[in-house]
């Protein structure tokens, strides 16, 4: 069970590409990476989940915590590239109604 987290920053715009599995084993590494980014004031964090092959409730908990932290710092969180399976997880839990899971922003970090 592996996870890869690639981060690019340009001013307040931060893109994060995640690939692999998000579960109880990999969630602590993901939480540590994302919470550091979420501390930045007024940042826009775009997370690409197109490379995620599996996510359990532990992963959902990470995203809820990150979402709350970003909001408390007047930032924005956008989740992109969700597979139908991941989308279903967010819909079942009601998170799809409070999180931006399809938004796009111009000026993607390269």
């Amino acid at each position: 069970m592996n996870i890869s987290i690639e981060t690019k920053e340009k001013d307040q715009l931060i893109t994060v590409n995640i690939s692999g599995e998000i579960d109880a084993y990999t969630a602590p590494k993901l939480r540590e990476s994302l919470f550091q980014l979420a501390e930045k004031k007024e940042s826009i964090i775009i997370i690409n989940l197109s490379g995620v092959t599996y996510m359990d409730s532990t992963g959902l908990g990470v995203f809820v915590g990150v979402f709350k932290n970003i909001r408390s710092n007047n930032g924005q969180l956008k989740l992109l590239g969700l597979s139908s399976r991941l989308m279903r997880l967010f819909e079942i839990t009601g998170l799809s109604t409070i999180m931006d899971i399809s938004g796009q922003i111009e000026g993607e970090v390269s």
Side-chain angles (χ1 to χ4, degrees), residues 67-84:
F67 177 74
K68 289 180 179 180
N69 206 3
I70 290 170
R71 294 283 299 262
S72 70
N73 286 305
N74 296 317
Q76 297 176 46
L77 174 66
K78 299 183 182 294
L79 303 178
L80 304 176
L82 279 74
S83 67
S84 59

Side-chain angles (χ1 to χ4, degrees), residues 16-20 22 47-54 79-83 86:
V16 182
N17 292 309
I18 301 172
S19 58
I22 304 172
I47 301 177
N48 180 354
L49 297 171
S50 62
V52 174
T53 56
Y54 174 82
L79 303 178
L80 304 176
L82 279 74
S83 67
L86 289 182

Side-chain angles (χ1 to χ4, degrees), residues 10-78:
K10 183 176 181 183
D11 301 322
Q12 297 303 104
L13 180 60
I14 303 166
T15 58
V16 182
N17 292 309
I18 301 172
S19 58
E21 298 180 355
I22 304 172
D23 56 21
Y25 179 73
T26 61
K29 179 179 178 181
L30 179 63
R31 177 180 287 115
E32 182 180 329
S33 296
L34 295 180
F35 269 72
Q36 287 177 358
L37 299 173
E39 290 295 321
K40 299 180 181 201
K41 299 286 184 190
E42 299 178 1
S43 61
I44 300 168
I45 301 175
I46 302 171
I47 301 177
N48 180 354
L49 297 171
S50 62
V52 174
T53 56
Y54 174 82
M55 182 165 61
D56 66 11
S57 60
T58 311
L60 286 173
V62 169
F63 286 107
V64 169
V66 169
F67 177 74
K68 289 180 179 180
N69 206 3
I70 290 170
R71 294 283 299 262
S72 70
N73 286 305
N74 296 317
Q76 297 176 46
L77 174 66
K78 299 183 182 294

